[in-house]
Amino acid sequence: MDSKINFAVIVFPASNCDFDAFRVPAELLKQNAKYVWHKDTVLGDVDVVILPGGFSYGDYLRTGAIARFSPIMNEVINFANGGGLVIGFCNGFQILTECGLLPGVLMKNKSLKFICDYVNLKVVTNNSPFTSNCNKGEVLKIPIAHGDGNYFADENTLQSLIENDQILFQYSDENGNITDQANPNGSLLNIAGVVNKKRNILGMMPHPERAVRKILGSDDGLKIFNSIVESFVYQ
Amino acid sequence: MTNLEYKEPIVSENLAISLGLTSEEYKRILDILKRVPTYTELGVFSVMWSEHCSYKNSILEIKKLPRSSEKMLVEAGEENAGLIDIGNNLAVAFKIESHNHPSAVEPYQGAATAVGGILRDIFTMGARPIAVLNSLRFGNLKNNKTKNYLKNIVKGIGDYGNCFGVPNIGGEIYFHECYEDNPLVNAMAVGIVDHNKIAKSSIKGVGRSVMIVGSSTGKDGIQGASFASEDLSEKSESKRPSVQVGDPFIEKLLLEATLEVINEDLIDSIQDMGAAGITCSTSEMSAKGNVGMEIDLDLVPQREMFMTPFEIMLSESQERMLLVAKPGCEERIEKIFNKWDLHGVIIGKTTDTKNLVVKYKRNIIVNIPADCLALGGGAPVYEREVKIPEYIKNPKRELFDFIKPDNYVNEILNILSSPNISSKKWIYRQYDSMVRTSTVELENIDCGIVEIPGSTKFLALTTDCNSTYIYLNPKVGGMIAIAEAARNIVCSGGTPLGITNCLNFGNPYNPEVYWQFTEALKGISEACLAFNTPVTGGNVSFYNQSQNNAIYPTPVIGMVGIINSKDEIIPNKFQNKNDLIYLLGNFSTDLNGSVYYKLKTYSEGINAPEFNLTDEVLLHTAISELNKSKIITSTHDISEGGLIVTLLEMSFNKQNLGFKIDFKTEDRLDKVLFSESQSRVVVSIKQSNKIQFEDLCKKLNQPCHILGSVEKDSIDLNGEVIENINLFRSVYDKSFENKLNN
């Protein structure tokens, strides 16, 4: 039996980070990876589903708003509800909030501009299959590239995110201080990534799949991918 | 409003002239056809014989450029982009193109479609785009008009490339009064293709299906090519409908579908639709293949009702391609495009008549020998008059003198805060530079570097052109543009492979403008030969002028180089404390063309800065040899702002490593610091390599001068300036945004 973990990367029209998300498990982690077309209705034998970044449907109407109606999303929702690991990077996060798998919404950046830059991310908790390999409070250098990353949720939702330890990443300075200056897009509480209550669905605006080799500027993103792989080893 | 009867205007010489043709050209059309053309035919001639499509006023000069090398896989200008072999059975496809006029009247869409158009040129050859760059020129940043242009053009470029998913990894931006009404938007795209997957635009067989794929055809961009072939004026505002509207989402789908049909070997030939839309692609593909083509406009998917044949033929709606299917592959092609929710529709077939025949409502409305329309065929070719401009013929004898400043800190801060020097991070932060995870971290190198997929090598990419130098001396300035591009590639550890150029000039019917054009091309030719970088293609943009003010001659050079391994990449920031700092090349006091001289005297000089092609070639060899011997820890070339700006830029690093410089000079220190004399770079080396370094320079006949050493946190300049790095850095980092928002 193949003991490798099976990653599926969903391809929506104009998911332009699908290739980047595919490369990490396939080339660097030596796991299995496959693309799944958004019009398909079957996920197949899969352990982890990645909704990649990009501009699904050109971000028309609202980011992620059309992609959530793609045929494959019924399968993804079933898979997630069954406890399967689902990750949304950037546009993937936007799709996950649109289909209600994660709380909150992502609004236009406060500057109203697209921003591509490295940011510092504080790991708020390592109690998740996505951060188990990190230290709590550790600061990761990972890039963002988005125009709509401004995380918003109502008071009650924010309160429950905190109470249930669902905030995984916050924008911080390089020493882990949560400051306004370190907040690139206006997100409430500097939120950069959250999990659901059952802790099997992650959405984050930064792109860990882009920070996987030193020559690209950082390999801190590997810590997140390695956490995922290890979560299966120790199951 | 149904059943509108379509009536064509009556064709006459006056109508031809109103469409941008000359009387002679109209007579030539009558000669070719032996009859009066239809209105649609007249439209077809008017765009195909426009400057933009026919290169009628530039082709004779362009043919003089060095356009061959054993590594070039297609002849210059033959295909949609240049193609150079880079080993491993791979080739790099690259091209630069202008979208100046559209950006002047509709900045956002003009700039967006600049990116879209150049990307299609790359993937129509079967190459997947792996990088874009752009070269922009604006008027004075103090003017609201400039700020408005800048914000919208940057947003247009960003929105298109970001959504399409190609990293934007470099380029340049200059501000100068001459671009006040004529901003320049030049976009360059680079792609990689397997040798056996290269697609061509020349049709191979007759009786094959012609298909239009991608978006439907609408009423946008009609006659854009003709609009690009005249001066800008107040009336240009009314040409806004000539500007195309881009949809990067559709372009991304078109990319994937196009590469899929090429990879599955389903097509005979393919060409994107840019300028002159269906007209240009049908006639050029036919002419290149020496065949004819018959198409039916009723089959073309249309965005709106009641489009006239003239409009369908001349529409420049974006995100479309014309392809000829291999026999029996039509259905599979259609299926692939439909999978991506795009049209894939048969609109005609190739024939053995050599004529372009177009039907509309069962009538033949166009019947023209394809060859007569295309560049290199029957399109007109003109020799233009040249005249040496007065400022060159009778130049001022010498530069103005001015008092030596007593405070260098203020002078340096003035330079660092000027828009042509200060950091443009505000701009490039809006571009996705990392998508496809192949971009080498950008802030530390003299040019953009991307990994070549399927290889352990890298491409080094740059665009360069200092138009002040070219204005002051078109020939030497032209050489400098090539030299600087090559220097940037060599300084980042690469070897130049070839260039693409975007020749932005004023009205070619002005003999002084045309003299600048021919002189600049002479300089480019000479330098290209010296660096062994053939011209693989490019684009000419004339008529960049309004109310008799032509822009400075601006031949933007896009250069591609190769870096053989990761270890050969050289950073342009200081790396270690105590490293020794050297100047390769000589000290100079020449202030011609410099930023400093302009700030001091409000004038630009009497000649291009000192430049010697032989010295430049020697310098590049020296840098490459030193790099091979692993002696250099960092290098950065001396360009705008002079020696001091180079040293400071090397100090703006993460470790806050500055310098302690102490050199003896008899000359005025300000001139030495701010001279933009060419063929010079600053390098740092480990102390232990001092002797080896100096010996090697001597052996290579490369002059070198020790300047000082790398120090933590501080800047010390001959004891005359002693400051913390952060003073300079904050001005360098923040000035641009401050000026833009005030």
Side-chain angles (χ1 to χ4, degrees):
Chain A
M1 269 267 305
D2 192 351
S3 63
K4 289 184 177 177
I5 300 161
N6 297 314
F7 286 81
V9 177
I10 311 291
V11 181
F12 299 97
S15 284
N16 60 36
C17 306
D18 48 355
F19 172 65
D20 303 339
F22 178 88
R23 288 178 89 174
V24 182
E27 291 174 19
L28 294 172
L29 306 178
K30 309 290 179 206
Q31 304 295 325
N32 295 327
K34 66 172 180 182
Y35 291 116
V36 176
W37 182 238
H38 72 113
K39 288 179 190 169
D40 287 352
T41 49
V42 185
L43 273 175
D45 183 14
V46 161
D47 301 307
V48 183
V49 171
I50 299 180
L51 307 186
F55 287 74
S56 59
Y57 292 95
D59 276 357
Y60 296 139
L61 185 60
R62 199 170 59 236
T63 56
I66 305 177
R68 64 165 286 210
F69 293 107
S70 276
I72 195 65
M73 284 310 292
N74 287 329
E75 273 292 285
V76 173
I77 291 168
N78 288 338
F79 178 77
N81 289 339
L85 293 192
V86 176
I87 312 167
F89 298 135
C90 201
N91 190 220
F93 186 14
Q94 293 159 344
I95 297 169
L96 288 172
T97 59
E98 281 290 336
C99 65
L101 285 177
L102 288 173
V105 292
L106 293 142
M107 309 191 302
K108 281 233 169 306
N109 292 348
K110 209 173 160 189
S111 66
L112 302 181
K113 287 188 182 61
F114 184 95
I115 304 167
C116 174
D117 207 348
Y118 273 97
V119 295
N120 294 301
L121 286 189
K122 180 183 168 182
V123 179
V124 183
T125 173
N126 56 4
N127 173 23
S128 85
F130 312 103
T131 50
S132 56
N133 222 3
C134 309
N135 294 319
K136 190 175 170 183
E138 182 176 356
V139 176
L140 308 178
K141 183 191 166 196
I142 288 180
I144 56 167
H146 59 244
D148 300 72
N150 180 354
Y151 187 82
F152 179 86
D154 61 41
E155 271 298 318
N156 292 338
T157 308
L158 287 177
Q159 203 50 47
S160 115
L161 283 175
I162 294 167
E163 279 165 15
N164 296 302
D165 201 19
Q166 283 174 258
I167 302 171
L168 241 53
F169 304 106
Q170 282 175 299
Y171 302 108
S172 73
D173 67 13
E174 52 193 22
N175 300 314
N177 301 310
I178 308 303
T179 64
D180 281 348
Q181 234 182 349
N183 187 342
N185 52 27
S187 291
L188 290 180
L189 304 178
N190 285 36
I191 288 174
V194 298
V195 285
N196 61 336
K197 274 189 193 151
K198 279 166 69 184
R199 313 190 87 73
N200 64 317
I201 306 170
L202 162 68
M204 62 189 293
M205 286 313 294
H207 287 273
E209 82 281 15
R210 294 185 179 191
V212 289
R213 288 179 293 132
K214 281 252 156 58
I215 195 163
L216 305 176
S218 166
D219 60 0
D220 286 356
L222 277 181
K223 292 190 177 166
I224 293 169
F225 284 95
N226 285 331
S227 299
I228 296 163
V229 172
E230 283 186 19
S231 77
F232 284 92
V233 176
Y234 295 119
Q235 247 174 18
Chain B
M1 288 286 286
T2 53
N3 284 333
L4 274 182
E5 196 59 34
Y6 167 63
K7 266 213 176 100
E8 296 205 322
I10 294 165
V11 172
S12 66
E13 187 176 322
N14 282 341
L15 186 66
I17 288 167
S18 75
L19 291 176
L21 292 160
T22 65
S23 314
E24 293 73 41
E25 286 166 353
Y26 181 64
K27 288 195 186 82
R28 190 166 172 157
I29 293 169
L30 296 179
D31 277 352
I32 289 169
L33 298 179
K34 313 259 182 322
R35 61 179 166 79
V36 176
T38 66
Y39 177 56
T40 307
E41 283 176 330
L42 193 65
V44 166
F45 276 107
S46 78
V47 288
M48 288 308 293
W49 286 6
S50 71
E51 190 70 55
H52 192 81
C53 290
S54 74
Y55 291 80
K56 59 190 171 190
N57 287 310
S58 62
I59 190 70
L60 288 177
E61 292 300 321
I62 286 171
K63 282 193 170 158
K64 297 178 188 166
L65 292 166
R67 303 196 302 163
S68 60
S69 110
E70 67 283 5
K71 287 194 172 145
M72 276 171 69
L73 299 176
V74 297
E75 227 174 283
E78 267 305 291
E79 287 294 334
N80 289 290
L83 200 62
I84 292 186
D85 182 24
I86 49 169
N88 298 48
N89 202 36
L90 296 171
V92 55
F94 64 103
K95 192 182 183 189
I96 190 165
E97 221 169 55
S98 64
H99 228 206
N100 303 335
H101 278 49
S103 304
V105 296
E106 175 53 62
Y108 178 84
Q109 289 296 346
T113 51
V115 180
I118 198 67
L119 285 168
R120 278 194 302 285
D121 278 332
I122 300 304
F123 68 79
T124 193
M125 299 189 71
R128 182 177 280 280
I130 60 164
V132 290
L133 298 91
N134 44 76
S135 177
L136 309 176
R137 299 291 181 281
F138 298 100
N140 193 323
L141 187 56
K142 285 187 181 134
N143 298 335
N144 286 335
K145 188 172 174 182
T146 300
K147 290 176 189 175
N148 184 43
Y149 272 143
L150 178 89
K151 287 177 182 169
N152 285 294
I153 284 170
V154 167
K155 189 161 169 49
I157 290 170
D159 283 357
Y160 205 100
N162 295 345
C163 177
F164 179 83
V166 62
N168 187 322
I169 65 160
E172 9 114 55
I173 300 134
Y174 284 92
F175 298 87
H176 192 283
E177 303 73 40
C178 73
Y179 303 110
E180 209 67 64
D181 299 319
N182 285 276
L184 302 186
V185 176
N186 294 182
M188 172 169 166
V190 182
I192 295 291
V193 58
D194 267 26
H195 281 216
N196 46 350
K197 301 282 186 198
I198 296 166
K200 301 232 167 133
S201 59
S202 146
I203 294 169
K204 295 179 194 79
V206 297
R208 297 189 172 181
S209 300
V210 176
M211 302 179 76
I212 190 167
V213 299
S215 265
S216 41
T217 299
K219 288 189 182 184
D220 58 326
I222 289 170
Q223 270 195 303
S226 302
F227 164 54
S229 307
E230 62 191 36
D231 291 356
L232 283 176
S233 66
E234 277 160 18
K235 283 186 290 181
S236 300
E237 282 289 297
S238 69
K239 295 286 171 78
R240 199 164 282 150
S242 298
V243 179
Q244 310 81 346
V245 179
D247 185 342
F249 167 60
I250 299 293
E251 179 107 332
K252 164 70 174 167
L253 306 184
L254 185 62
L255 160 77
E256 299 300 341
T258 303
L259 292 186
E260 212 168 312
V261 295
I262 293 172
N263 281 333
E264 296 198 10
D265 200 19
L266 305 177
I267 62 159
D268 165 290
S269 48
I270 184 165
Q271 178 162 330
D272 77 300
M273 286 194 213
I278 296 179
T279 296
C280 185
S281 50
T282 51
S283 51
E284 284 191 356
M285 286 180 76
S286 304
K288 281 181 197 167
N290 206 17
V291 298
M293 187 185 285
E294 195 177 304
I295 62 167
D296 185 347
L297 294 187
D298 298 324
L299 300 174
V300 173
Q302 289 160 41
R303 203 174 291 162
E304 43 214 310
M305 288 164 79
F306 310 122
M307 281 187 76
T308 68
F310 183 96
E311 288 167 336
I312 300 170
M313 286 298 285
L314 270 59
S315 160
E316 294 187 7
S317 286
Q318 299 288 289
E319 294 92 25
R320 299 177 300 160
M321 297 270 196
L322 191 79
L323 64 82
V324 174
K326 281 197 167 163
C329 295
E330 295 86 349
E331 246 178 73
R332 285 174 68 194
I333 294 172
E334 190 189 338
K335 219 172 151 191
I336 288 173
F337 280 93
N338 289 346
K339 173 184 141 191
W340 291 96
D341 299 322
L342 297 170
H343 296 293
V345 180
I346 298 173
I347 59 165
K349 61 177 189 301
T350 58
T351 65
D352 58 6
T353 66
K354 299 188 185 176
N355 273 26
L356 173 63
V357 176
V358 180
K359 285 192 199 157
Y360 176 75
K361 308 255 184 250
R362 296 203 188 97
N363 294 319
I364 290 178
I365 49 146
V366 172
N367 190 350
I368 307 174
D371 188 48
C372 295
L373 296 168
L375 165 71
V381 174
Y382 301 129
E383 214 166 317
R384 292 256 73 85
E385 190 191 337
V386 297
K387 184 176 163 230
I388 302 178
E390 200 52 33
Y391 76 93
I392 296 277
K393 221 168 161 183
N394 295 308
K396 285 200 193 68
R397 286 265 174 79
E398 51 192 52
L399 293 176
F400 296 114
D401 207 4
F402 52 91
I403 305 163
K404 182 181 168 185
D406 45 16
N407 182 339
Y408 287 104
V409 175
N410 284 344
E411 300 299 329
I412 295 170
L413 291 177
N414 273 340
I415 298 270
L416 283 180
S417 66
S418 75
N420 286 339
I421 303 284
S422 55
S423 165
K424 310 297 187 302
K425 189 163 183 176
W426 183 89
I427 292 176
Y428 65 77
R429 211 169 169 237
Q430 297 182 53
Y431 302 149
D432 190 338
S433 57
M434 306 174 192
V435 63
R436 299 200 68 73
T437 46
S438 295
T439 311
V440 176
E441 197 183 13
L442 283 176
E443 286 195 40
N444 300 314
I445 318 164
D446 263 12
C447 50
I449 299 187
V450 282
E451 298 171 324
I452 300 170
S455 153
T456 51
K457 297 177 187 170
F458 300 78
L459 286 181
L461 307 168
T462 183
T463 66
D464 289 284
C465 175
N466 182 317
S467 64
T468 301
Y469 300 171
I470 296 165
Y471 173 78
L472 291 168
N473 185 331
K475 189 174 168 194
V476 172
M479 286 189 202
I480 292 176
I482 300 286
E484 166 145 33
R487 201 188 306 142
N488 282 332
I489 285 174
V490 171
C491 280
S492 60
T495 309
L497 286 178
I499 72 153
T500 172
N501 55 24
C502 195
L503 307 171
N504 308 276
F505 285 82
N507 190 321
Y509 290 83
N510 175 339
E512 296 191 349
V513 166
Y514 208 73
W515 180 82
Q516 292 175 330
F517 179 70
T518 55
E519 284 294 299
L521 258 56
K522 280 180 203 163
I524 288 171
S525 283
E526 226 173 281
C528 279
L529 287 171
F531 298 111
N532 194 17
T533 50
V535 180
T536 64
N539 158 243
V540 180
S541 171
F542 282 133
Y543 306 96
N544 292 294
Q545 70 179 72
S546 51
Q547 283 113 45
N548 290 327
N549 285 326
I551 60 161
Y552 275 12
T554 315
V556 174
I557 306 302
M559 191 178 279
V560 172
I562 194 150
I563 301 175
N564 286 318
S565 81
K566 193 163 103 178
D567 304 333
E568 290 180 16
I569 299 173
I570 318 173
N572 68 3
K573 310 279 184 208
F574 293 133
Q575 298 294 306
N576 319 294
K577 190 171 178 250
N578 297 330
D579 276 3
L580 298 178
I581 304 169
Y582 279 85
L583 168 67
L584 290 183
N586 289 317
F587 292 110
S588 168
T589 55
D590 178 23
L591 290 184
N592 269 304
S594 66
V595 177
Y596 181 63
Y597 185 72
K598 189 167 183 185
L599 280 175
K600 284 289 177 191
T601 67
Y602 303 99
S603 62
E604 298 178 322
I606 52 173
N607 202 342
E610 286 173 346
F611 175 76
N612 180 308
L613 193 53
T614 316
D615 290 352
E616 185 81 38
V617 173
L618 270 181
L619 174 72
H620 296 197
T621 310
I623 297 165
S624 299
E625 289 299 318
L626 289 163
N627 191 33
K628 268 186 213 152
S629 309
K630 308 274 170 238
I631 295 178
I632 309 177
T633 54
S634 70
T635 177
H636 188 24
D637 77 317
I638 297 178
S639 58
E640 286 84 10
L643 173 63
I644 185 64
V645 169
T646 300
L647 285 164
L648 285 167
E649 285 176 347
M650 294 176 90
S651 308
F652 298 154
N653 51 53
K654 282 171 201 150
Q655 310 162 71
N656 248 22
L657 292 170
F659 53 82
K660 184 172 182 351
I661 293 296
D662 193 4
F663 59 84
K664 304 226 165 4
T665 175
E666 306 284 299
D667 298 309
R668 259 177 63 171
L669 186 61
D670 60 330
K671 293 188 182 176
V672 174
L673 292 179
F674 298 118
S675 166
E676 296 179 16
S677 174
Q678 297 292 298
S679 315
R680 305 184 304 156
V681 305
V682 172
V683 299
S684 66
I685 62 162
K686 286 235 165 73
Q687 288 206 353
S688 53
N689 287 328
K690 184 172 194 289
I691 294 168
Q692 202 193 346
F693 170 80
E694 288 180 0
D695 284 352
L696 200 49
C697 285
K698 205 169 171 187
K699 201 179 111 197
L700 295 163
N701 281 328
Q702 175 59 50
C704 69
H705 304 272
I706 189 153
L707 297 174
S709 60
V710 176
E711 294 292 325
K712 184 86 177 142
D713 300 327
S714 65
I715 302 295
D716 179 343
L717 186 71
N718 277 15
E720 300 219 28
V721 174
I722 301 175
E723 290 288 347
N724 189 286
I725 293 175
N726 291 331
L727 169 74
F728 299 110
R729 184 162 196 169
S730 66
V731 167
Y732 178 79
D733 285 346
K734 289 174 191 151
S735 292
F736 186 76
E737 189 174 351
N738 288 343
K739 285 190 176 155
L740 189 60
N741 293 328
N742 281 322

